[in-house]
Amino acid sequence: MSTKPEVISLPVAQEMVDQWIKTIGVRYFSELTNMAILTEEVGELARIMARKYGDQSFKKSDEQYEMADEMADVLWVLICLANQTGVDLNKAFINNVEKKTKRDENRHQNNPKLK
């Protein structure tokens, strides 16, 4: 019996998704289909957020949704899209943090709205 890893890296996550798709999922859906699925999953997460942290109340049909699971669904489909389009999410994330750090070095500290 295999044990679940407690922590994984982005490259490992990309490989796990790729192996799952190739062995259980048969093949990747098209990029456009996956983009639509990503939008759907983000909508499901938004529904939970609006009810938990916003002004809307939960409906009986909302009980089937769990925030952590919906976030994982968003991540899964995003990883699928990265795999399909040749994006190394680890490298992209590191570059993105660097870009934001350079661009916003003083921006947020000087924002009176955040005080």
Side-chain angles (χ1 to χ4, degrees), residues 14-69:
Q14 284 192 253
E15 181 59 30
M16 288 172 68
V17 169
D18 193 57
Q19 287 305 308
W20 189 95
I21 294 292
K22 291 175 177 174
T23 59
I24 297 171
V26 180
R27 67 169 179 81
Y28 285 94
F29 297 137
S30 72
E31 294 86 349
L32 186 56
T33 296
N34 274 336
M35 187 63 228
I37 293 169
L38 178 61
T39 303
E40 178 183 331
E41 296 298 349
V42 169
E44 290 173 3
L45 176 58
R47 175 186 290 118
I48 294 170
M49 298 296 289
R51 283 152 178 75
K52 185 168 182 161
Y53 300 104
D55 299 323
Q56 288 191 324
S57 61
F58 281 93
K59 300 181 287 188
K60 187 78 171 156
S61 60
D62 296 327
E63 292 175 4
Q64 66 180 327
Y65 298 104
E66 181 185 326
M67 188 165 44
D69 189 52

Side-chain angles (χ1 to χ4, degrees), residues 21 79 95 104:
I21 294 292
I79 289 172
N95 290 342
D104 301 330

